[in-house]
Amino acid sequence: MPHNHEAKFIGVAPLNLASAEHISFLINDKYFDECLKTQAGALVCSKKTAELLYGQTKSILLVSQNPHAAVAKISQFFFKPKHPFSGISHQAMIDETAEIHPTATIFPFVFVGPGAKVGAQTVVYSGCFIGATSSVGADCLLYPNVVIREGCTVGDRCIFNPGSVIGGDGFGFAATEKENVKIPQIGGVQIANDVEIGANTTIDRGAMADTKVGSQTKIDNLVMIAHNVVIGEFCFIAAQTGIAGSANIGDRVIMGGQVGVAGHLKIGNKSILTAQSGISKNIPEGQMWGGSPARPFKEHALSLVALNKLAKSNKKSS
Amino acid sequence: MPHNHEAKFIGVAPLNLASAEHISFLINDKYFDECLKTQAGALVCSKKTAELLYGQTKSILLVSQNPHAAVAKISQFFFKPKHPFSGISHQAMIDETAEIHPTATIFPFVFVGPGAKVGAQTVVYSGCFIGATSSVGADCLLYPNVVIREGCTVGDRCIFNPGSVIGGDGFGFAATEKENVKIPQIGGVQIANDVEIGANTTIDRGAMADTKVGSQTKIDNLVMIAHNVVIGEFCFIAAQTGIAGSANIGDRVIMGGQVGVAGHLKIGNKSILTAQSGISKNIPEGQMWGGSPARPFKEHALSLVALNKLAKSNKKSS
Amino acid sequence: MPHNHEAKFIGVAPLNLASAEHISFLINDKYFDECLKTQAGALVCSKKTAELLYGQTKSILLVSQNPHAAVAKISQFFFKPKHPFSGISHQAMIDETAEIHPTATIFPFVFVGPGAKVGAQTVVYSGCFIGATSSVGADCLLYPNVVIREGCTVGDRCIFNPGSVIGGDGFGFAATEKENVKIPQIGGVQIANDVEIGANTTIDRGAMADTKVGSQTKIDNLVMIAHNVVIGEFCFIAAQTGIAGSANIGDRVIMGGQVGVAGHLKIGNKSILTAQSGISKNIPEGQMWGGSPARPFKEHALSLVALNKLAKSNKKSS
């Protein structure tokens, strides 16, 4: 039953705000009723939703196995970030030995050190710093005031939100009675392709080896990644989480907000650490843990129930 | 019994440091005895305190129904921030389509994008960034290295402490096996009048609609406000608190430090969330909650007592 | 039994990576077996380790009472930070009344206010801000985008990692029905010698008196130090910890990551606050506390055991 529309769209909008020129979407079933009322010219949804809607809507139905990803891609099509400067500013300070790709954009008030490299189409906003010998790949976005210190490498298509700091000194000292002797932090940071780093997040350089973040990993704002941490691919790390030194995080790990991971631990692939949990042990692959100190989530939940029950019975008997 | 003083004051000082040329204050009753000894030329206090002090002090008594606020206002009278630069620097990079009020101050090394607006008497310190079409009202202070990305609006008399970031990308991705697809964050941030934002705090732009902060709300350092959060008026949010996406915070809400609020929750007006609490449910108006996961504060306190008791009895029987 | 080697070394490396031109070390006994296999030309270790190794290794043994500190010092010998700019940039904005030592380095895009001082050999990276009358001592390092607002003093040999903010306004307001009146924050910040501050950490200025950090204290990333806090000497404060207003921290205190300390508390010398603990009481000298709210660590540990046991017995009986 082929459609024969010729439709023109100007963007993506939520069900309640969409006009005939918008594409809208159903990702969360609780908004199903809004699909029946939306003015959207088209609607991205699952096959199941499309069957339920068929004949009850004027919207063109765009069926996807992953409507969430489909909407994201459509939204990317309509929305290209525009940058308020182009070219390589003569008000930037670029060392003569740095290699800036001619298609890159360097805003005013940027400092690029000796031997540093900036790849094709990469955009470096004002106030950024790229240290000596550090390299940033192609198609990256460094928003204002990002700092990438010396000896770090960044892949392609990475996004650094404002104020993020890559390669600050790790927290390493040898305590004596008379002084706390600084241990020089001589490693760097390696960031793979397609990584996003949140605003004011900090990723410290390694003490001797490099701190590493794997491809497709997405890190939210105000996160702390300590020296020598190794993070795998496809992880999500929510805001204000902290990962202590030398911890090893697997692939496709999900951390909620304000999680703390102690040093030198191993967090298995596909594990889930719930918000505010305090991880003090290695976490096996595929498990969900919570609480502080964290335990398997079911045990943690049982403790909370038991404690609640105890408090109630104490209250009665008192 | 009117006083007939002609007194000259040079500023506000605490009871133990004040001279005859200082105005001091009693806000916390535990310092009452210091009132009897202070050298302060004048003393701001409640009517009740004044009655207790009358005849026992040389200080002029300045009676107020709200001595705390009175001292704040008097202190403001004596202390006007001085700024180490004035005018509009030719070492700033200001797009020719930006509108800078002639009474505004723009320090060197500031970037102001196309169509941006800066209001009367507003001061923008070095290293700040104001993105395309963003507007900042009158009498605002942007301390060094503040970033306000494109499409944000800021009211009058707002203060942004150094390094705060407004309008960074929200943390939105659609996960697939092969990639985590970025969901373009096309909303902005709206900040009302008389808001203060702490150092290195981050407020993300909305995914589609705007993130909002209401008037008179004060936010401390290193706080994370995620995309689409709406915060009411007259709130206090202490340091290192994180509010996840789409949460709705009422008016006159108080949050202690290091609080976490999960996404999509509704926090009622005048509620109080104690330090380090983890909010996982909607909070009714006017209640105090604590703990992680948080419960009504009394229940939380009972649990702590019950647990303590249990631990002691276990210890004895072992 | 004197050695008669003439050896040349190029740096320090871990046991498994070291070549004959590297100095390696044994700090953690669990790596003892690696000592037997290492190719390192020399090995820093304790007397006890040296006795065990004697005759079983080709490495020169460098015996130290504190091998950790010895390695740190040796590493400092090999590794001198190199800075990608030297001299005083004409692209910096330095007030004519500021005093910059002729041996100091000021990068481009730095702002130095009236009456500010920068000491000998101190290096100030791009994007930094030093406010009016603030002084920074000798041999300090201010990495990019550090902000030190007006009226602050910094000792010698301090290191400020990127994005750290010293002297932002403290969080002080007097609440009324109609407005939250700002209490001017007219104190400063005093930072003693040999202090290190982590990336994006914030230390607020005092309300009336100064906020203070003692000598040899080391503070990690994303830490919040509120107004009027006084921190002693030789402390270690790990990442994302927050210390509320007017708290008084003794000497040689150790705080794990994500600790919260409530306002106006006194934390005794040599106390240890474990990660994620929430300190709501004064802490006596020399004790270890944990949990939220925190208790003496042993009591805290007993509670966790008791709770676990209770949850298990509940589960069986249900």
Side-chain angles (χ1 to χ4, degrees):
Chain A
M1 217 172 305
H3 288 279
N4 190 15
H5 285 284
E6 182 165 317
K8 193 182 167 188
F9 295 104
I10 58 171
V12 175
L15 291 163
N16 59 334
L17 298 178
S19 75
E21 289 189 308
H22 285 107
I23 300 173
S24 193
F25 51 89
L26 185 72
I27 290 169
N28 184 333
D29 281 344
K30 84 173 178 186
Y31 298 110
F32 181 80
D33 287 352
E34 287 194 27
C35 289
L36 301 172
K37 293 179 285 182
T38 185
Q39 300 300 313
L43 195 60
V44 179
C45 62
S46 66
K47 197 178 165 198
K48 191 182 131 206
T49 303
E51 284 165 358
L52 291 169
L53 283 174
Y54 196 77
Q56 302 194 60
T57 174
K58 290 179 302 182
S59 310
I60 302 171
L61 298 176
L62 303 169
V63 174
S64 167
Q65 285 187 298
N66 187 337
H68 200 195
V71 171
K73 294 237 165 183
I74 292 168
S75 189
Q76 283 181 1
F77 174 82
F78 285 108
F79 179 76
K80 303 284 176 221
K82 277 178 219 152
H83 305 298
F85 183 86
S86 62
I88 296 171
S89 173
H90 67 277
Q91 288 170 278
M93 170 78 189
I94 301 173
D95 190 275
E96 59 188 8
T97 64
E99 296 174 33
I100 311 294
H101 194 279
T103 61
T105 293
I106 309 285
F107 275 56
F109 321 132
V110 167
F111 186 96
V112 183
K117 289 178 190 169
V118 176
Q121 288 96 47
T122 283
V123 177
V124 182
Y125 272 73
S126 61
C128 287
F129 175 93
I130 301 175
T133 76
S134 284
S135 71
V136 177
D139 299 302
C140 290
L141 256 172
L142 278 67
Y143 281 110
N145 298 347
V146 169
V147 174
I148 298 177
R149 274 184 46 193
E150 68 279 9
C152 297
T153 60
V154 174
D156 299 331
R157 296 173 304 279
C158 290
I159 298 174
F160 294 79
N161 281 284
S164 50
V165 174
I166 310 303
D169 277 357
F171 197 61
F173 305 91
T176 74
E177 270 302 303
K178 292 194 178 166
E179 60 173 326
N180 290 322
V181 187
K182 182 175 178 71
I183 300 168
Q185 304 289 303
I186 62 183
V189 179
Q190 293 177 28
I191 293 180
N193 295 329
D194 300 293
V195 170
E196 181 158 344
I197 306 288
N200 286 345
T201 277
T202 67
I203 303 181
D204 280 354
R205 60 196 312 109
M208 292 196 173
D210 288 349
T211 304
K212 293 178 191 175
V213 179
S215 66
Q216 293 287 346
T217 284
K218 310 296 183 182
I219 299 177
D220 202 352
N221 296 2
L222 294 168
V223 169
M224 162 58 172
I225 310 289
H227 54 182
N228 307 323
V229 167
V230 175
I231 299 178
E233 302 183 342
F234 285 89
C235 295
F236 289 110
I237 299 176
Q240 295 176 320
T241 283
I243 303 178
S246 302
N248 188 301
I249 315 297
D251 296 333
R252 296 181 190 270
V253 173
I254 296 175
M255 299 192 196
Q258 299 180 333
V259 169
V261 178
H264 297 271
L265 296 180
K266 190 162 170 41
I267 309 300
N269 296 336
K270 299 189 184 178
S271 53
I272 298 175
L273 311 180
T274 63
Q276 293 193 327
S277 56
I279 311 299
S280 56
K281 295 179 182 173
N282 292 335
I283 304 293
E285 191 165 331
Q287 294 193 5
M288 179 157 86
W289 285 50
S292 175
R295 285 177 298 156
F297 196 77
K298 279 185 188 167
E299 285 180 31
H300 169 57
L302 282 171
S303 295
L304 293 173
V305 170
L307 181 57
N308 209 357
K309 213 166 145 183
L310 178 70
K312 276 182 188 158
S313 82
N314 272 16
K315 196 184 171 186
K316 272 184 206 156
S317 67
S318 69
Chain B
M1 217 174 306
H3 287 279
N4 190 15
H5 285 284
E6 182 164 318
K8 193 182 167 187
F9 295 103
I10 59 172
V12 175
L15 291 163
N16 59 334
L17 299 177
S19 75
E21 291 189 306
H22 285 107
I23 300 173
S24 193
F25 51 90
L26 184 72
I27 290 170
N28 185 333
D29 282 343
K30 82 174 179 187
Y31 297 110
F32 180 81
D33 288 351
E34 288 193 29
C35 289
L36 301 171
K37 294 179 284 183
T38 186
Q39 301 299 313
L43 195 60
V44 179
C45 62
S46 66
K47 199 180 163 195
K48 192 184 131 204
T49 302
E51 284 165 358
L52 292 168
L53 284 174
Y54 197 77
Q56 302 194 59
T57 175
K58 291 179 301 183
S59 309
I60 302 172
L61 298 178
L62 303 168
V63 175
S64 166
Q65 284 188 297
N66 187 337
H68 200 196
V71 171
K73 293 237 165 183
I74 292 169
S75 189
Q76 284 181 3
F77 174 82
F78 286 107
F79 179 75
K80 303 284 175 221
K82 277 178 219 151
H83 305 297
F85 183 86
S86 62
I88 297 172
S89 172
H90 67 275
Q91 286 170 281
M93 170 78 189
I94 301 173
D95 191 275
E96 57 187 9
T97 64
E99 296 173 33
I100 312 294
H101 194 280
T103 61
T105 292
I106 309 284
F107 275 56
F109 321 132
V110 168
F111 186 97
V112 183
K117 290 178 189 166
V118 176
Q121 289 97 45
T122 284
V123 178
V124 182
Y125 272 72
S126 61
C128 287
F129 175 94
I130 300 175
T133 77
S134 284
S135 71
V136 177
D139 298 301
C140 290
L141 257 172
L142 277 67
Y143 281 110
N145 298 347
V146 170
V147 175
I148 298 177
R149 274 183 46 191
E150 69 279 9
C152 297
T153 60
V154 174
D156 298 332
R157 297 173 303 279
C158 290
I159 297 175
F160 293 78
N161 281 285
S164 50
V165 174
I166 310 303
D169 277 358
F171 197 61
F173 304 91
T176 73
E177 270 302 303
K178 292 194 177 167
E179 60 175 323
N180 290 322
V181 186
K182 182 175 178 71
I183 300 168
Q185 304 288 303
I186 62 181
V189 179
Q190 294 176 28
I191 292 180
N193 295 330
D194 300 293
V195 170
E196 181 157 345
I197 307 289
N200 285 345
T201 278
T202 67
I203 303 181
D204 279 355
R205 60 195 314 108
M208 291 196 174
D210 288 350
T211 304
K212 294 178 191 174
V213 179
S215 66
Q216 294 286 347
T217 284
K218 310 297 184 182
I219 300 176
D220 202 353
N221 296 1
L222 293 168
V223 169
M224 161 58 172
I225 310 289
H227 54 183
N228 307 323
V229 167
V230 175
I231 299 178
E233 302 183 343
F234 286 88
C235 295
F236 289 110
I237 299 176
Q240 295 177 320
T241 284
I243 302 179
S246 302
N248 189 301
I249 315 296
D251 296 333
R252 297 181 189 270
V253 172
I254 296 174
M255 300 192 195
Q258 299 180 334
V259 169
V261 178
H264 297 272
L265 296 181
K266 188 161 173 43
I267 309 299
N269 295 336
K270 300 188 183 179
S271 52
I272 298 176
L273 312 179
T274 63
Q276 291 194 329
S277 57
I279 311 299
S280 57
K281 294 179 183 172
N282 293 335
I283 304 293
E285 192 165 330
Q287 295 194 5
M288 179 157 85
W289 285 50
S292 176
R295 286 177 300 156
F297 196 78
K298 280 184 188 168
E299 287 181 29
H300 170 56
L302 283 171
S303 294
L304 294 173
V305 171
L307 181 57
N308 209 357
K309 212 166 146 185
L310 179 70
K312 278 182 186 159
S313 83
N314 270 17
K315 196 185 171 186
K316 274 183 205 157
S317 67
S318 71
Chain C
M1 213 173 309
H3 288 281
N4 189 15
H5 285 286
E6 183 165 318
K8 191 181 167 188
F9 296 104
I10 59 171
V12 175
L15 291 163
N16 60 334
L17 299 177
S19 77
E21 291 188 305
H22 285 108
I23 299 174
S24 193
F25 52 90
L26 185 72
I27 290 170
N28 184 333
D29 281 345
K30 82 174 181 187
Y31 297 109
F32 180 81
D33 287 354
E34 286 193 30
C35 288
L36 302 171
K37 294 178 285 182
T38 185
Q39 301 300 311
L43 195 58
V44 180
C45 61
S46 66
K47 198 179 165 196
K48 192 183 130 204
T49 303
E51 285 165 358
L52 292 169
L53 283 173
Y54 197 78
Q56 301 194 59
T57 174
K58 290 178 302 182
S59 310
I60 303 172
L61 299 177
L62 303 168
V63 174
S64 167
Q65 283 187 298
N66 187 336
H68 200 195
V71 171
K73 294 237 166 185
I74 293 169
S75 191
Q76 284 180 3
F77 174 83
F78 285 109
F79 179 76
K80 303 283 177 222
K82 277 178 219 152
H83 305 297
F85 183 86
S86 62
I88 296 172
S89 173
H90 67 276
Q91 288 170 280
M93 169 77 188
I94 301 173
D95 191 275
E96 58 188 8
T97 64
E99 295 174 34
I100 311 294
H101 194 279
T103 61
T105 292
I106 309 284
F107 275 56
F109 320 132
V110 167
F111 186 96
V112 183
K117 290 178 189 167
V118 176
Q121 288 97 46
T122 283
V123 178
V124 182
Y125 273 72
S126 61
C128 287
F129 175 94
I130 300 175
T133 76
S134 284
S135 71
V136 177
D139 298 303
C140 290
L141 256 172
L142 278 67
Y143 280 110
N145 298 348
V146 170
V147 175
I148 298 177
R149 273 183 48 191
E150 69 278 9
C152 298
T153 60
V154 173
D156 298 332
R157 297 172 304 278
C158 290
I159 298 175
F160 293 79
N161 280 285
S164 49
V165 174
I166 310 303
D169 278 356
F171 197 60
F173 304 91
T176 73
E177 270 301 304
K178 292 193 178 167
E179 60 174 324
N180 290 322
V181 187
K182 182 176 179 72
I183 300 168
Q185 304 289 303
I186 62 183
V189 179
Q190 293 177 29
I191 293 180
N193 294 330
D194 301 294
V195 170
E196 180 158 345
I197 306 288
N200 286 346
T201 278
T202 66
I203 302 181
D204 280 354
R205 62 195 312 107
M208 292 196 175
D210 288 351
T211 304
K212 294 178 190 174
V213 180
S215 67
Q216 292 287 346
T217 285
K218 310 297 184 181
I219 299 177
D220 202 354
N221 297 1
L222 292 169
V223 169
M224 162 57 171
I225 311 289
H227 53 183
N228 308 322
V229 168
V230 175
I231 300 178
E233 302 184 342
F234 286 88
C235 295
F236 288 110
I237 299 176
Q240 294 177 321
T241 284
I243 303 179
S246 302
N248 188 300
I249 315 296
D251 295 333
R252 296 181 191 271
V253 173
I254 296 176
M255 300 192 196
Q258 299 181 335
V259 169
V261 177
H264 298 270
L265 297 180
K266 188 160 172 45
I267 309 300
N269 295 336
K270 298 188 184 177
S271 54
I272 298 176
L273 312 180
T274 63
Q276 291 193 329
S277 56
I279 311 300
S280 57
K281 294 179 183 173
N282 293 336
I283 304 292
E285 191 164 330
Q287 294 194 5
M288 179 157 86
W289 284 50
S292 176
R295 285 177 299 157
F297 196 77
K298 278 184 189 168
E299 286 179 32
H300 170 58
L302 282 172
S303 294
L304 293 173
V305 171
L307 181 57
N308 208 357
K309 213 167 145 183
L310 178 71
K312 276 181 187 158
S313 83
N314 271 16
K315 195 184 170 186
K316 272 182 205 155
S317 67
S318 68

